[in-house]
Amino acid sequence: MASEGAGTAQGLVLLFESLASVFSTEIATLQTEPEIRLAQARYLGKKGKATELMKQLGRIPPGDRPAVGAAANRARESIEKLVEERLAGLAEASLAGELARSVDVTLPGRGRRAGTIHPLSRVRMEIEQIFLGMGYEVRTGPLIETEWNNFDALNTPADHPARDMQDTFFVEGGLILRSHTSPVQIRTMLAGPPPVKIIAPGNVFRRDDDATHTPMFPQCEGLHVDKNVSFEDLKATLITFVQRFFGPQTDIRLRPSFFPFTEPSAEVDASCFLCQGKPPARATCRLCKGTGWLEIGGSGMVHPNVLAAVGYDKYDVTGFAFGMGLSRMAMLKYGVTDLRLFYENDLRFLQQFPAG
Ligand code: PHE
């Protein structure tokens, strides 16, 4: 470029003009801002083409220089204008692209799956509602407990098999993971005088792990202590509960049993709500396996030693207590046969329990 016309004012003016027009073809092919800026520097930068041309200014007669300077300025301005226009065009195109994407109302929606309440939570909430309706309060307590709250206060002496390493998880500092929610009953009684009418839902821990046991499981226990609370009250409470939970035809059966913290004690069975416990359906019932009864938990009259341990007058008040496993209640109610399904969080399982 420096050859033709170089050295004359006329030639330099022509060269500046062609500089701008060559730049305009070059910039048209560039797609990004960095590419455009580089091209701009190749023309207008310190070592750019326009700067190189200006060096020839000294060789032309002084009288012709203003015309060449004006041509140089025009070239610079038109190159800068081309850069600005091209950058603005790019910005507009990318904005238009974004807008086009965000307003495409013909695209199918992404959808959002509504969550459902876990069957164990559902069962817990249902049980809470039933007992709230009978005047009970819901109480909870810590998962890490003292041995005194979990065992001693509950008339479970140090040599009782339930305190063995095999059943209980020990943590540092002489504490344990609670093996039932009965310590919540102890805490509640320690916190205030009778009457007490509470249920205590919550997770408990035992060293057990097979098809019918998990090392952690949810439980719900109940306690009613007042003047003149009798075994009859326990029975009426349990009947009311099973009828509301399983259905109005449900009956209960109490079988003599043993718990250190209750005397007398009883295992609670509910009549099978699937076959109603009646032949011939009973014989082939998959739920009660032909027995007509479903085991749901333990119960009994609060042992006087427990009342004494929390400072209650064992001659003045009596009480009953009961406890049940929520996984077992959920298995019975929903016909689930493997306990582990509750803990695997498989959506195909959980989606079978719709919201509501
Ligand atoms: N605490 C007992 C358990 O976890 C259940 C129970 C509570 C039994 C109250 C009787 C009375 O096995």
Side-chain angles (χ1 to χ4, degrees):
M1 189 180 286
S3 60
E4 184 225 333
T8 71
Q10 183 74 30
L12 272 179
V13 168
L14 281 174
L15 282 175
F16 275 118
E17 276 165 12
S18 76
L19 203 62
S21 84
V22 171
F23 182 78
S24 84
T25 12
E26 192 177 327
I27 197 177
T29 64
L30 305 180
Q31 300 300 332
T32 65
E33 182 170 354
E35 287 173 334
I36 292 166
R37 293 289 183 205
L38 274 178
Q40 183 183 16
R42 274 200 305 279
Y43 283 76
L44 304 182
K46 268 196 189 131
K47 292 184 180 155
K49 298 180 181 184
T51 320
E52 293 300 318
L53 278 182
M54 281 306 271
K55 286 179 186 162
Q56 299 184 29
L57 204 58
R59 294 199 222 148
I60 58 168
D64 291 344
R65 288 181 192 168
V68 176
N73 282 342
R74 278 199 303 281
R76 172 174 295 273
E77 273 163 28
S78 86
I79 286 173
E80 274 168 0
K81 195 161 166 241
L82 283 166
V83 167
E84 252 166 57
E85 280 170 4
R86 185 82 184 111
L87 288 179
L90 282 182
E92 205 170 295
S94 91
L95 180 65
E98 267 171 41
L99 284 175
R101 268 198 301 284
S102 64
V103 295
D104 186 353
V105 293
T106 63
L107 282 175
R110 291 222 180 86
R112 216 171 253 249
R113 238 199 281 274
T116 59
I117 296 176
H118 192 280
L120 293 179
S121 302
R122 273 170 90 113
V123 161
R124 173 179 51 75
M125 288 153 82
E126 203 173 315
I127 292 173
E128 284 174 3
Q129 284 308 313
I130 293 171
F131 282 101
L132 284 169
M134 290 197 269
Y136 283 73
E137 282 176 54
V138 178
R139 288 291 169 88
T140 54
L143 305 183
I144 296 177
E145 267 293 2
T146 62
E147 289 197 56
W148 194 84
N149 281 345
N150 195 84
F151 291 126
D152 299 78
L154 288 154
N155 196 37
T156 311
D159 58 358
H160 193 277
R163 295 183 67 149
D164 196 278
M165 285 288 284
Q166 300 225 314
D167 300 315
T168 308
F169 287 106
F170 289 81
V171 292
E172 282 170 19
L175 298 171
I176 58 167
L177 295 183
R178 68 182 182 189
S179 60
H180 49 184
T181 62
S182 308
V184 179
Q185 307 184 4
I186 298 300
R187 287 170 175 274
T188 307
M189 291 192 283
L190 285 172
V196 164
K197 208 174 170 188
I198 58 147
I199 56 164
N203 290 337
V204 302
F205 306 84
R206 293 182 197 174
R207 291 170 64 102
D208 254 339
D209 200 5
D210 58 39
T212 53
H213 298 89
T214 49
M216 185 278 291
F217 61 95
Q219 204 185 37
C220 185
E221 294 202 354
L223 173 73
H224 182 189
V225 178
D226 202 351
K227 286 183 195 290
N228 302 317
V229 171
S230 69
F231 200 91
E232 203 182 353
D233 297 319
L234 168 62
K235 216 174 151 184
T237 302
L238 292 172
I239 289 176
T240 308
F241 167 68
V242 296
Q243 291 186 344
R244 294 196 183 154
F245 189 80
F246 290 120
Q249 278 86 38
T250 316
D251 201 357
I252 61 161
R253 179 175 79 172
L254 298 177
R255 284 178 291 118
S257 185
F258 174 82
F259 297 104
F261 31 84
T262 47
E263 181 60 34
S265 305
E267 296 285 344
V268 186
D269 295 344
S271 58
C272 179
F273 63 92
L274 203 61
C275 68
Q276 309 292 344
K278 293 195 186 85
R282 192 176 91 186
T284 53
C285 182
R286 61 174 172 80
L287 196 61
C288 66
K289 311 234 156 48
T291 64
W293 296 97
L294 306 169
E295 268 184 54
I296 63 167
S299 68
M301 299 304 294
V302 179
H303 198 291
N305 289 352
V306 176
L307 297 173
V310 296
Y312 282 10
D313 182 348
K314 62 183 181 184
Y315 300 105
D316 187 41
V317 291
T318 49
F320 64 74
F322 54 86
M324 61 192 129
L326 296 187
S327 352
R328 171 135 186 93
M329 298 301 279
M331 283 171 93
L332 293 174
K333 184 141 187 171
Y334 302 122
V336 175
T337 47
D338 190 336
L339 185 61
R340 285 171 286 202
L341 284 167
F342 289 129
Y343 301 102
E344 284 164 357
N345 289 332
D346 185 331
L347 282 181
R348 290 167 303 177
F349 172 71
L350 296 175
Q351 278 163 1
Q352 292 175 48
F353 302 91

